[in-house]
């Protein structure tokens, strides 16, 4: 049976961009090696687009914006329904591609990456169906209108999930799109472009160009025909995008880094709090900007929490991404593998207690970007491993002596993307949640909510994705005064 990645290669997608409704060869001769993180073998060479290709894609999106922005809600609903139907039909293909390109275990790709990405499309569709684009305030009409051409820059860690979180609401609101996925995990984006094409999305409404930040991302950020840019990535990358966008005064939406706390309140059931917290930190191999990587534990309960944390790590099954029984695969790329190894070394050099893990690959793995799940305890918040985003399966356990101190520790970070609170007392959990400076707070490990807005305080970004707030990110506000006068 042909692997979906081989099908993409046969179709020539790795050498192409999708511009104005057609697959075209890029004008640049630059390429990027796509590596299988499970064994470091070469999957193929990705053709990187140039600034000229970006210009072509932007102009295509700008040319069709006037017509697409005026389409009816029913017409856009029909387009989204077609995309959703094909997405569902190709779910296994997408899972296989995701697993291969960025190392997610195949069953995690099937149960998390693909269905959560689909949920973003469904939420965008449902918001479109119910949204009041014009509301009256006295005799003034408040109209919400599509902002224009949206430049979308997406990351390698949740590649398809972040694409649909941006593309879904953008096209639902009537915007046109130029997407630059990460060159480190670009294959699922190519497959997604095929879905949009086959679903009949009009030419020019959606455009895809692979490339790197300096060549393509900078053009999307600075081009005067791009009305907004939305980036999910590192804080460093978000700053560069904002700087490039400033001269054209375009909207910039940024979902950036995180160092999320998980406050285990004194009354919490440790059996219910610690194990799930460890696994939440290490989901997607720790490659999630909202992962709760700082676990704050009452000092008198630290020893018991340590034991429960080690028991949770022992349930992790590491394997190749095509291993049906693996719960955790390799990190997505070599640069991240080396970054995590460096941070583990820093943790070992600081005055911490390493409960499990450490540097190097797990036993039995001589190749691939596999990392040993690592837990540090007796960490203080001034240590590098407690302050810097590691983006790997590394948990820091920090003791505290009072709830007030825990709140101070939780907020003592440049980030503010997400937080977790565990308690038997819901009112106390709610009280603490109000005091945490982050864009999301999760109480007692709730189910994921595709309607919950997601975004950060402080250096975790600006603007929101997901849900109604993510939908409205792609809208401008117009007040038509006197609209209701007789």
């Amino acid at each position: 049976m042909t692997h979906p990645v081989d099908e993409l290669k046969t179709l020539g997608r790795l050498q192409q961009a999708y511009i104005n409704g057609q697959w075209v060869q890029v004008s640049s001769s630059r390429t990027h090696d796509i590596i299988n993180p499970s064994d470091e073998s070469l999957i193929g060479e990705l053709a990187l687009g140039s600034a000229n290709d970006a210009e072509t894609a932007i102009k295509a999106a700008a040319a069709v914006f006037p017509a697409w922005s005026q389409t009816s809600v029913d017409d856009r609903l029909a387009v989204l329904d077609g995309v959703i139907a094909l997405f569902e039909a190709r779910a296994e293909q997408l899972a296989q591609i995701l697993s291969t390109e960025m190392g997610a275990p195949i069953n995690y790709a099937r149960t998390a990456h693909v269905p959560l990405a689909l949920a973003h499309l469904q939420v965008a569709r449902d918001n479109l169906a119910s949204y009041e684009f014009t509301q009256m305030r006295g005799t003034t009409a408040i109209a919400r209108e599509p902002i224009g051409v949206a430049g979308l820059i997406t990351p390698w860690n949740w590649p398809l999930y972040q694409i649909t979180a941006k593309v879904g609401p953008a096209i639902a609101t009537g915007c046109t799109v130029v997407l630059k996925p990460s060159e480190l995990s670009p294959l699922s984006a190519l497959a997604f472009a095929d879905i949009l094409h086959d679903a009949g999305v009009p030419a020019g409404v959606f455009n895809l160009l692979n490339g790197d930040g300096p060549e393509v991302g900078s053009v999307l950020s600075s081009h005067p025909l791009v009305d907004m840019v939305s980036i999910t990535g590192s804080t460093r990358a978000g700053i560069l995008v904002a700087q490039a966008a400033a001269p054209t005064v375009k909207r910039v939406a940024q979902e950036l880094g995180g160092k999320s706390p998980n406050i285990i309140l004194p009354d919490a059931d440790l059996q219910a709090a610690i194990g799930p917290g460890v696994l939440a930190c290490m989901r997607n191999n720790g490659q999630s900007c909202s992962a709760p990587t700082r676990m704050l534990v009452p000092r008198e309960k630290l020893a018991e929490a340590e034991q429960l944390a080690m028991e949770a790590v022992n349930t992790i099954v590491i394997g190749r991404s095509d291993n049906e029984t693996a719960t955790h695969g390799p990190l997505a790329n070599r640069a991240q593998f080396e970054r995590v190894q460096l941070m583990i070394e820093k943790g070992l050099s600081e005055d911490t207690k390493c409960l499990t893990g450490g540097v190097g690959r797990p036993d039995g793995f001589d190749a691939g970007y596999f990392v040993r799940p690592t837990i540090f305890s007796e960490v203080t918040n001034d240590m590098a491993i407690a302050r810097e985003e590691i983006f790997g399966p590394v948990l820091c356990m920090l003791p505290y002596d009072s709830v007030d101190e825990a709140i101070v520790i939780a907020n003592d970070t440049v980030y503010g993307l997400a937080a977790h609170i565990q308690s038997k007392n819901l009112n106390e959990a709610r009280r603490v949640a109000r005091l945490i400076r982050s864009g999301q707070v999760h109480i007692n490990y709730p189910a994921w909510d595709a309607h919950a807005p997601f975004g950060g305080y402080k250096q975790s970004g600006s603007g929101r994705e997901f849900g109604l707030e993510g939908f409205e990110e792609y809208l401008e506000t117009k007040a038509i005064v006197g609209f209701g006068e007789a």
Side-chain angles (χ1 to χ4, degrees):
M1 184 176 180
T2 303
H3 193 282
V5 171
D6 293 327
E7 293 176 10
L8 289 175
K9 292 164 71 175
T10 299
L11 290 168
R13 294 292 183 254
L14 274 65
Q15 285 74 48
Q16 296 172 324
Y18 184 74
I19 298 176
N20 203 26
Q22 297 182 346
W23 288 101
V24 297
Q25 299 295 122
V26 300
S27 63
S28 170
S29 61
R30 296 188 310 129
T31 62
H32 177 81
D33 288 346
I34 306 173
I35 303 297
N36 185 330
S38 288
D39 57 18
E40 302 178 58
S41 63
L42 178 66
I43 294 173
E45 286 189 340
L46 179 74
L48 297 178
S50 67
N52 288 336
D53 296 316
E55 179 88 14
T56 301
I58 291 166
K59 287 182 176 178
V64 303
F65 172 71
W68 179 248
S69 65
Q70 295 303 308
T71 55
S72 68
V73 166
D74 285 344
D75 285 345
R76 297 202 298 278
L77 285 173
V79 168
L80 283 170
D81 285 339
V83 171
I84 289 168
L86 275 182
F87 195 102
E88 291 175 322
R90 299 180 188 178
E92 177 62 19
Q93 176 197 66
L94 294 169
Q96 294 282 348
I97 292 170
L98 276 162
S99 179
T100 302
E101 72 177 343
M102 57 80 59
I106 183 59
N107 278 325
Y108 193 68
R110 289 170 178 149
T111 60
H113 279 267
V114 172
L116 299 186
L118 174 61
H120 288 312
L121 295 174
Q122 293 168 328
V123 167
R125 190 256 180 230
D126 292 346
N127 282 333
L128 174 60
S130 62
Y131 195 76
E132 293 185 47
F133 285 91
T134 302
Q135 299 181 36
M136 295 303 299
R137 188 179 300 165
T139 60
T140 295
I142 309 299
R144 304 301 302 274
E145 300 177 344
I147 194 169
V149 175
L152 309 179
I153 301 173
T154 55
W156 49 261
N157 58 316
W158 286 88
L160 192 57
Y161 171 94
Q162 288 293 346
I163 287 170
T164 58
K166 298 180 191 296
V167 173
I171 64 176
T173 53
C175 295
T176 56
V177 165
V178 180
L179 168 68
K180 189 203 85 66
S182 171
E183 68 275 19
L184 298 175
S185 52
L187 302 179
S188 52
L190 297 171
F192 181 66
D194 267 329
I195 287 174
L196 268 62
H197 178 84
D198 294 346
V201 174
V205 170
F206 171 83
N207 305 272
L208 178 150
L209 178 62
N210 282 301
D212 56 24
E215 185 75 13
V216 173
S218 61
V219 177
L220 288 181
S221 304
S222 62
H223 201 287
L225 290 180
V226 174
D227 298 285
M228 75 165 289
V229 59
S230 176
I231 176 174
T232 299
S234 67
T235 298
R236 180 194 61 81
I239 291 170
L240 292 174
V241 165
Q243 289 172 334
T248 51
V249 200
K250 58 171 57 71
R251 181 178 300 172
V252 178
Q254 306 157 306
E255 192 267 283
L256 307 175
K259 195 68 182 177
S260 302
N262 185 2
I263 304 176
I264 314 299
L265 289 177
D267 74 321
D269 178 349
L270 293 191
Q271 289 282 350
I274 302 301
V278 172
L279 298 181
C281 166
M282 297 187 182
R283 75 184 186 276
N284 204 42
N285 246 7
Q287 298 168 125
S288 296
C289 48
S290 61
T293 54
R294 293 183 297 147
M295 181 179 284
L296 280 57
V297 181
R299 192 176 302 276
E300 68 274 12
K301 297 185 176 182
L302 185 60
E304 182 183 356
E306 289 174 347
Q307 182 60 40
L308 291 169
M310 289 188 287
E311 291 174 5
V313 165
N314 289 337
T315 68
I316 290 174
V317 179
I318 299 173
R320 288 177 53 95
S321 63
D322 56 3
N323 183 333
E324 297 273 348
T325 64
T327 61
H328 290 66
L331 295 183
N333 54 73
R334 174 167 289 281
Q336 193 55 33
F337 173 80
E338 293 175 350
R339 160 74 177 170
V340 172
Q341 295 294 328
L342 176 63
M343 292 305 299
I344 292 173
E345 288 177 358
K346 281 189 178 182
L348 293 171
S349 70
E350 294 179 304
D351 189 18
T352 63
K353 179 180 178 182
C354 185
L355 301 180
T356 185
V359 295
R361 295 183 177 90
D363 292 343
F365 294 91
D366 297 323
Y369 305 135
F370 295 94
V371 171
R372 300 170 67 190
T374 299
I375 299 177
F376 291 104
S377 187
E378 300 180 9
V379 176
T380 58
N381 213 41
D382 58 347
M383 295 177 179
I385 56 172
R387 304 203 70 80
E388 298 180 33
E389 187 174 39
I390 298 174
F391 230 59
V394 181
L395 174 68
C396 297
M397 301 181 74
L398 295 82
Y400 68 86
D401 294 306
S402 70
V403 173
D404 287 345
E405 182 192 13
I407 293 168
V408 170
I409 294 171
N411 288 330
D412 181 19
T413 172
V414 298
Y415 299 112
L417 191 58
H420 287 249
I421 298 170
Q422 317 307 322
S423 177
K424 294 177 186 176
N425 184 334
L426 186 56
N427 285 332
E428 175 66 357
R430 290 167 174 163
R431 183 189 76 83
V432 174
R434 294 281 191 177
L435 298 172
I436 302 303
R437 290 182 52 76
S438 68
Q440 275 195 356
V441 181
H442 302 247
I443 295 176
N444 293 334
Y445 306 120
W448 180 74
D449 182 0
H451 291 274
F454 183 66
Y457 287 31
K458 299 184 280 187
Q459 292 186 26
S460 285
S462 60
R464 290 297 180 265
E465 294 192 301
F466 311 173
L468 184 60
E469 288 75 10
F471 185 89
E472 291 180 330
E473 202 71 46
Y474 296 88
L475 296 173
E476 278 284 20
T477 301
K478 176 185 288 182
I480 308 176
V481 183
F483 185 92
E485 296 286 356

